[in-house]
Amino acid sequence: MGIKIKNSALAISILVISGCSNTNSQPEEEMDHSTMNAEEMDHSTMDMDDDMKENEHMSHDEVVSLNDSTGENELKLPSMLERDNEEGVVYTVRAQEGKTEIFDGIETTTYGYNGTFLGPMLRLEKGETVKIRTINELQEDTTFHWHGLEVSGEEDGGPHSVIKPGEENIIEFEVAQEASTLWFHPHPVGKTAEQVYNGLAGLIYIEDDNSKTLGLPSDYGKNDFPLIFQDKTFDDKKQLNYSAAMNEDGTIGDTLLINGTLNSKLTVNKEKVRLRLLNGSNARNFTFKLNTGDSFVQIATDGGFLNEPVTLKEVTLTPSERAEIVVDFSQLNTAKDVALINEDGSVLLPFEVSDQSGMNSSIPKEMNNFSLTEKEMNLPITKKVELFGMMDQVTINGKKFDPNRIDFTQEQGVTEVWEIYNKPDEMGGMNHPFHIHGTQFKILSRDGKEPAENERGWKDSISIKPDETVKIAVQFKHKGVYMFHCHILEHEENGMMGQVKVE
Ligand code: C2O
Ligand code: CU
Ligand code: CU
């Protein structure tokens, strides 16, 4: 199964523009491994020669374009998970296998939560105590990890919390963090990337008094939409064949699914529309923009609202990052086609704008009281993390993941400054999206400079460029063992993961 490059000139220019880089960065200097042919690249060849390996590494740099969405299917929306009637248990989440009609008239074997593909949306309220029963109906081990949720290590669903086929587990926690868009996915050792690829991913919304009074667009499915972006490779039988598509440097596909929908379009009214963007891909980075060149505002980061809306023309999300943006369709010239596109111009999501004016929502100037205190700014660095390598040679601080090794300890409730450095290799290196479980952290600086305006908010994942040093202030509210890792899922599988024990 090969992946076609649209054309070599485009491929090269994408390399130069987006390279291994991030939103606010200048184009990367030309990389010495950028010679490539526009032939098909075979992703299934296991015994590659060295040249091929270079191409494999390069393919991570997004030389494989996504096919444009034709817009023939209305975007599907995750259903909201209903509470159980049963005494005590509030929600039940089942990991399942099934068949999904992604392509017309064809059944694709997929995984899903409470369904055959992806999962429902869990809507939680700050302050409530939640019990979730998780059931593994798969034929293999899995875990249920709540990405971005501040819960104890035992409830976090990391690699140590395996649930065997046919077994179940109940967790209980208090929702103590602010309004945000989080997600959940599996985390078993050696199987995370494949299970996510096959469809295990769902959304968590947290609401609080603030989110309910801000007046932002919040009518689910009307002017408030989640968009889960995932790229896949389908084989000629339209099946997901992970081992054939797998790339050690991150599995990238040519076919985009949004909320599991192929060729999606979104119908909206002429009003402010909130899009909760989640990069749920194994490895691909997205840079979202409007084809019209119009700007939009970003209102939230991974873990909460920004203090004030930030006007942007584009926003980059690396795997597992989220951003909530608001597009004001009442202000756009809708005589032209409007679409959300990627950095390289691929059409991700065409919009169909109706004549209706919709609801009267607003974007307040003040949305949150996130702050970086003087004290946090002046804390010494007490944890150092060095990300290095590519393919299956990735490491953190020179080591690969060992479930029996605790890499760091940290005291509950105490803020520490972590310095994360992405050490380049002879070929330049690549971006690594760094994630820590069980916490929302603050970015103190990037290469000594203050973070971009749209990064001055709670984060649980952060993109780090080659040779970049990032300082973050990290506090854990609960105890337990938590993972930190690169969220390119194949890097995580290849050992780019460590453990912090909070006591
Ligand atoms: Cu999205 Cu280890 O997590
Ligand atoms: Cu996580
Ligand atoms: Cu990585």
Side-chain angles (χ1 to χ4, degrees):
M1 178 70 221
I3 293 179
K4 288 210 186 66
I5 313 294
K6 276 183 178 167
N7 67 58
S8 56
L10 177 65
I12 300 295
S13 72
I14 295 161
L15 247 183
V16 176
I17 295 166
S18 69
C20 296
S21 71
N22 183 25
T23 337
N24 326 309
S25 59
Q26 310 90 329
E28 293 279 303
E29 67 219 80
E30 185 66 288
M31 282 162 282
D32 56 3
H33 54 290
S34 63
T35 42
M36 69 160 303
N37 53 57
E39 308 298 329
E40 294 196 336
M41 295 195 306
D42 191 341
H43 280 236
S44 60
T45 318
M46 297 319 266
D47 51 346
M48 295 168 293
D49 59 16
D50 282 356
D51 285 345
M52 196 58 207
K53 274 196 180 133
E54 254 183 52
N55 277 347
E56 287 283 312
H57 171 57
M58 281 197 27
S59 70
H60 178 75
D61 299 324
E62 302 199 10
V63 288
V64 179
S65 290
L66 286 166
N67 299 327
D68 290 335
S69 169
T70 60
E72 63 197 70
N73 302 313
E74 190 66 38
L75 180 80
K76 295 190 190 91
L77 287 181
S79 58
M80 228 182 282
L81 184 60
E82 299 286 333
R83 283 162 180 261
D84 296 343
N85 280 323
E86 200 177 326
E87 175 82 32
V89 172
V90 183
Y91 296 105
T92 300
V93 179
R94 302 163 188 272
Q96 302 176 316
E97 181 179 340
K99 303 229 183 277
T100 305
E101 190 179 333
I102 297 169
F103 295 83
D104 275 346
I106 299 172
E107 289 191 325
T108 302
T109 301
T110 51
Y111 280 4
Y113 291 116
N114 300 6
T116 64
F117 198 37
L118 296 177
M121 183 259 276
L122 249 111
R123 197 171 182 282
L124 310 179
E125 294 255 345
K126 181 175 178 180
E128 71 177 342
T129 295
V130 180
K131 265 195 191 182
I132 304 176
R133 170 189 282 139
T134 55
I135 307 178
N136 181 6
E137 295 180 0
L138 303 172
Q139 305 294 323
E140 59 180 351
D141 290 0
T142 194
T143 81
F144 296 74
H145 169 56
W146 317 98
H147 180 124
L149 203 62
E150 295 176 326
V151 291
S152 76
E154 294 205 340
E155 282 135 351
D156 176 69
H160 298 294
S161 309
V162 170
I163 302 184
K164 300 248 166 247
E167 295 190 347
E168 61 176 71
N169 182 39
I170 294 176
I171 56 167
E172 181 174 345
F173 56 90
E174 192 192 322
V175 182
Q177 69 202 88
E178 62 187 65
S180 47
T181 306
L182 316 176
W183 63 303
F184 59 103
H185 62 78
H187 227 297
V189 171
K191 281 285 183 179
T192 300
E194 180 168 3
Q195 291 187 359
V196 172
Y197 192 79
N198 286 341
L200 288 182
L203 289 162
I204 306 168
Y205 283 16
I206 297 179
E207 302 292 346
D208 62 11
D209 291 343
N210 185 34
S211 69
K212 285 186 271 182
T213 50
L214 285 175
L216 287 162
S218 53
D219 198 342
Y220 187 72
K222 290 270 176 17
N223 59 13
D224 182 356
F225 301 92
L227 300 176
I228 308 170
F229 292 86
Q230 298 178 307
D231 58 330
K232 311 277 180 195
T233 301
F234 291 93
D235 67 13
D236 36 14
K237 298 214 170 60
K238 303 291 186 214
Q239 299 302 308
L240 290 167
N241 184 342
Y242 180 73
S243 48
M246 201 277 281
N247 181 325
E248 297 286 2
D249 245 348
T251 301
I252 296 211
D254 59 353
T255 305
L256 175 70
L257 301 180
I258 309 179
N259 302 346
T261 322
L262 177 74
N263 286 324
S264 41
K265 73 153 185 255
L266 178 60
T267 305
V268 294
N269 292 326
K270 281 197 164 66
E271 63 177 318
K272 296 188 187 69
V273 173
R274 175 176 181 181
L275 303 173
R276 305 185 190 222
L277 313 174
L278 159 64
N279 183 345
S281 301
N282 283 41
R284 181 183 284 275
N285 299 333
F286 287 89
T287 294
F288 301 97
K289 50 189 186 178
L290 291 167
N291 63 328
T292 54
D294 286 293
S295 48
F296 50 82
V297 296
Q298 182 174 344
I299 56 169
T301 53
D302 297 334
F305 290 115
L306 289 158
N307 284 355
E308 43 199 64
V310 176
T311 302
L312 297 169
K313 292 232 172 189
E314 59 178 50
V315 62
T316 297
L317 296 182
T318 59
S320 86
E321 284 187 294
R322 285 90 64 207
E324 294 184 30
I325 64 170
V326 176
V327 179
D328 191 348
F329 286 93
S330 69
Q331 300 300 312
L332 293 184
N333 175 2
T334 50
K336 292 182 287 180
D337 288 341
V338 186
L340 198 62
I341 60 172
N342 203 0
E343 176 81 69
D344 63 356
S346 341
V347 178
L348 305 174
L349 181 66
F351 295 104
E352 186 168 309
V353 188
S354 81
D355 296 331
Q356 284 173 33
S357 56
M359 278 160 271
N360 227 338
S361 51
S362 57
I363 308 170
K365 293 235 154 29
E366 279 174 43
M367 300 182 295
N368 208 347
N369 54 7
F370 175 89
S371 69
L372 275 179
T373 64
E374 199 62 27
K375 187 163 166 259
E376 285 162 340
M377 295 299 292
N378 291 316
L379 284 173
I381 295 160
T382 41
K383 303 249 184 300
K384 284 198 176 193
V385 175
E386 186 181 272
L387 308 173
F388 182 68
M390 56 181 236
M391 307 286 286
D392 56 357
Q393 300 300 314
V394 286
T395 55
I396 292 184
N397 291 343
K399 289 176 251 174
K400 285 194 174 287
F401 178 64
D402 177 349
N404 300 313
R405 184 189 67 231
I406 296 295
D407 299 274
F408 293 142
T409 55
Q410 185 162 333
E411 220 177 300
Q412 179 188 20
V414 172
T415 303
E416 285 197 38
V417 173
W418 294 35
E419 184 187 81
I420 305 135
Y421 174 54
N422 181 352
K423 184 179 166 191
D425 56 27
E426 327 79 63
M427 302 205 338
M430 58 191 287
N431 238 37
H432 297 288
F434 182 75
H435 165 56
I436 310 178
H437 286 206
T439 183
Q440 292 291 335
F441 54 76
K442 301 174 180 180
I443 304 177
L444 299 173
S445 65
R446 283 185 177 273
D447 279 338
K449 293 189 240 29
E450 66 175 342
E453 278 181 62
N454 68 330
E455 288 196 320
R456 297 178 203 163
W458 295 109
K459 295 284 292 169
D460 55 52
S461 300
I462 174 177
S463 169
I464 306 179
K465 285 180 292 182
D467 207 26
E468 188 177 32
T469 302
V470 173
K471 274 172 46 172
I472 59 176
V474 183
Q475 189 191 105
F476 294 92
K477 304 266 170 12
H478 302 273
K479 292 184 183 170
V481 173
Y482 298 100
M483 304 297 128
F484 54 89
H485 61 91
C486 175
H487 220 289
I488 291 176
L489 294 178
E490 287 73 19
H491 282 182
E492 180 258 334
E493 299 287 30
N494 288 335
M496 208 172 197
M497 177 155 73
Q499 308 190 81
V500 52
K501 185 172 186 188
V502 180
E503 20 187 36

